[in-house]
């Protein structure tokens, strides 16, 4: 089992030694063309160098901790039309930095992924939203391809939600429009509001299913167990590749420090239950998440790798 973290790496002082930088569309558009190009180049080069430094740090850790989600702002504003013209001028000069990251990650068995944002909705009933979603998935796929991924099924994970008024039919139609590389990398997860686990399992023939156990609890008020028959369907969708689940819990003070919380007794809205905690403070839920021994776990928690490391230490203590 690998335990991963999302996007930001903290040191022991809770500082980010290798931060990704970004810029706003407003600031970018306020500049002239030369300034725009210089700004995007500077940020993209910095982000790729810091990604490599993060990977180097992971390579020094135990293999179980060599898993991370890369931030979507690796190439900021890439899908903005005016930014695309800038990237066309200098992106090839960054290829060696992409290659270095990919080769290093593979050499040290670091599992990588992206998670496009909530507005990347392939199942939308709005054609313009779908077009933007396709562009966004392909942007993430491009970054992965430049690192040498997308060549085999699930050598890299690009995870999205299936939410959208057209449901599975809309998702399926959009999926078929993606590049072969993007289709090989795409996964879909259940969410807390619109798409249940049963809904996303319809996509199991198209792409792997990522189980989010917290989303499932928020939506269903049920703690799915490894023996649930749907777990085998999820694992089968990965076609022999080790599956991934996402683990988060509600914020401190919202649920108790131990035991399985029951939504009917908490007196809290589902909206409040959705928000992620800083740390994994409930060992009952930690035992539950770690019981999915056939899965790698992406830790979706505010304190990122620090909280992930504490969960791993707890896992080791239980084995002793």
């Amino acid at each position: 089992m690998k335990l991963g973290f999302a996007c930001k790496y903290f040191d022991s002082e809770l500082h980010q030694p290798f931060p990704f930088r970004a810029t706003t569309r407003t600031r970018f558009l306020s500049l002239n063309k030369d300034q725009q190009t210089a700004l995007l180049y500077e940020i993209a080069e910095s982000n790729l160098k810091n990604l490599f430094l993060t990977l180097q740090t992971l390579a020094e850790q135990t293999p179980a901790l060599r898993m991370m989600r890369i931030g979507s702002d690796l190439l900021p504003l890439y899908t903005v039309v005016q930014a695309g013209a800038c990237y066309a001028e200098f992106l090839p000069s960054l290829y060696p930095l992409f290659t270095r990251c990919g080769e290093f990650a593979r050499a040290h068995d670091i599992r990588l992924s992206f998670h496009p944002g909530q507005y990347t909705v392939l199942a939308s009933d709005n054609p313009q939203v779908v077009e933007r979603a396709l562009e966004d998935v392909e942007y993430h796929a491009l970054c992965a391809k430049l690192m040498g991924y997308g060549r085999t099924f699930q050598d890299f994970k690009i995870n999205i939600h299936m939410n959208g008024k057209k449901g599975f039919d809309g998702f399926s139609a959009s999926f078929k429009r993606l590049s072969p590389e993007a289709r090989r990398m795409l996964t879909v997860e259940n969410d807390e509001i619109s798409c249940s686990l049963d809904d996303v399992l319809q996509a199991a023939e198209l792409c792997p299913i990522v189980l989010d156990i917290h989303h499932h609890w928020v939506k269903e008020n049920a703690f799915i167990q490894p023996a649930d028959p749907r777990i085998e369907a999820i694992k089968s969708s990965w076609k022999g590749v080790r599956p991934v689940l996402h683990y988060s819990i509600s914020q401190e003070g919202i649920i108790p420090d131990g035991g399985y919380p029951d939504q009917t007794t908490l007196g809290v809205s589902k909206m409040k239950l959705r928000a992620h905690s800083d740390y994994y403070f409930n060992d009952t839920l930690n035992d539950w998440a770690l019981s999915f021994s056939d899965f790698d776990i992406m830790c979706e928690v505010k304190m990122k790798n620090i909280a992930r490391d504490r969960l791993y230490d707890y896992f080791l203590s239980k084995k002793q």
Side-chain angles (χ1 to χ4, degrees):
M1 177 185 287
K2 288 184 183 291
L3 302 179
F5 67 94
C7 304
K8 297 178 181 179
Y9 183 85
F10 293 129
D11 63 19
S12 59
E13 302 299 320
L14 303 184
H15 299 143
Q16 292 184 60
F18 321 118
F20 273 22
R21 294 168 53 200
T23 189
T24 65
R25 183 186 182 114
T26 299
R27 181 194 176 196
F28 170 76
L29 293 177
S30 71
L31 304 174
N32 64 43
K33 179 62 165 36
D34 289 343
Q35 292 172 326
Q36 291 175 341
T37 301
L39 175 67
L40 293 181
Y41 180 84
E42 178 191 3
I43 296 176
E45 181 184 45
S46 173
N47 289 350
L48 284 163
K49 289 180 176 179
N50 279 344
L51 173 58
F52 185 75
L53 292 173
T54 306
L55 295 173
Q56 284 185 313
T57 300
L58 290 186
E60 296 171 356
Q61 300 176 1
T62 182
L65 300 181
R66 298 181 190 179
M67 177 178 175
M68 71 170 290
R69 176 186 299 164
I70 303 171
S72 291
D73 52 359
L74 185 61
L75 300 179
L77 303 181
Y78 186 86
T79 57
V80 173
V81 173
Q82 295 90 336
C86 298
Y87 279 110
E89 293 185 17
F90 65 77
L91 189 59
S93 67
L94 298 178
Y95 289 175
L97 297 180
F98 279 100
T99 299
R100 180 175 68 160
C101 289
E103 289 180 347
F104 187 87
R106 287 186 290 276
H108 293 86
D109 191 27
I110 301 173
R111 190 169 193 178
L112 299 176
S113 63
F114 282 122
H115 193 343
Q118 61 180 326
Y119 300 111
T120 303
V121 184
L122 293 181
S124 175
D125 61 344
N126 183 328
Q128 291 183 334
V129 171
V130 172
E131 292 302 321
R132 289 195 295 269
L134 291 167
E135 289 178 359
D136 196 40
V137 172
E138 293 293 358
Y139 153 66
H140 289 84
L142 171 64
C143 291
K145 286 188 290 185
L146 292 176
M147 287 187 279
Y149 294 100
R151 298 173 181 175
T152 61
F153 176 77
Q154 279 304 308
D155 59 0
F156 193 104
K157 167 174 159 275
I158 300 175
N159 183 67
I160 65 171
H161 296 266
M162 199 174 76
N163 55 325
K165 291 185 177 180
K166 286 196 171 183
F168 170 67
D169 289 341
F171 178 83
S172 177
S174 296
F175 180 87
K176 294 171 184 176
R177 296 177 58 191
L178 292 169
S179 66
E181 294 87 355
R183 292 198 299 270
R184 285 194 282 267
M185 292 186 277
L186 199 71
T187 64
V188 63
E189 72 170 295
N190 56 299
D191 67 61
E192 320 99 309
I193 304 300
S194 60
C195 284
S196 68
L197 177 57
D198 292 329
D199 291 329
V200 298
L201 276 169
Q202 297 175 87
E205 293 300 315
L206 295 177
C207 65
I209 306 302
V210 169
L211 169 63
D212 190 307
I213 56 177
H214 179 65
H215 288 174
H216 184 76
W217 173 71
V218 172
K219 187 168 178 58
E220 308 291 344
N221 194 23
F223 293 92
I224 190 169
Q225 299 297 321
D228 189 295
R230 290 171 291 184
I231 300 300
E232 286 304 316
I234 292 169
K235 291 193 291 187
S236 294
S237 72
W238 287 82
K239 301 177 183 177
V241 175
R242 187 174 178 87
V244 175
L245 68 78
H246 291 176
Y247 175 42
S248 57
I249 61 176
S250 300
Q251 289 181 329
E252 290 84 348
I254 300 295
I255 61 172
D257 293 348
Y260 288 108
D262 182 350
Q263 293 181 33
T264 62
T265 65
L266 293 176
V268 176
S269 69
K270 285 186 181 292
M271 183 64 69
K272 286 190 175 181
L273 292 175
R274 295 169 66 186
H276 295 170
S277 64
D278 290 336
Y279 293 98
Y280 293 119
F281 57 88
N282 182 316
D283 285 343
T284 302
L285 298 182
N286 292 338
D287 289 337
W288 167 55
L290 293 167
S291 71
F292 290 85
S293 57
D294 292 333
F295 289 73
D296 287 347
I297 299 177
M298 175 55 69
C299 298
E300 297 188 322
V301 62
K302 290 182 180 178
M303 294 312 298
K304 308 298 182 180
N305 58 293
I306 302 296
R308 183 275 311 264
D309 293 350
R310 292 187 184 182
L311 180 63
Y312 181 64
D313 290 342
Y314 175 75
F315 170 72
L316 292 181
S317 72
K318 297 287 288 187
K319 293 180 67 177
Q320 295 175 353

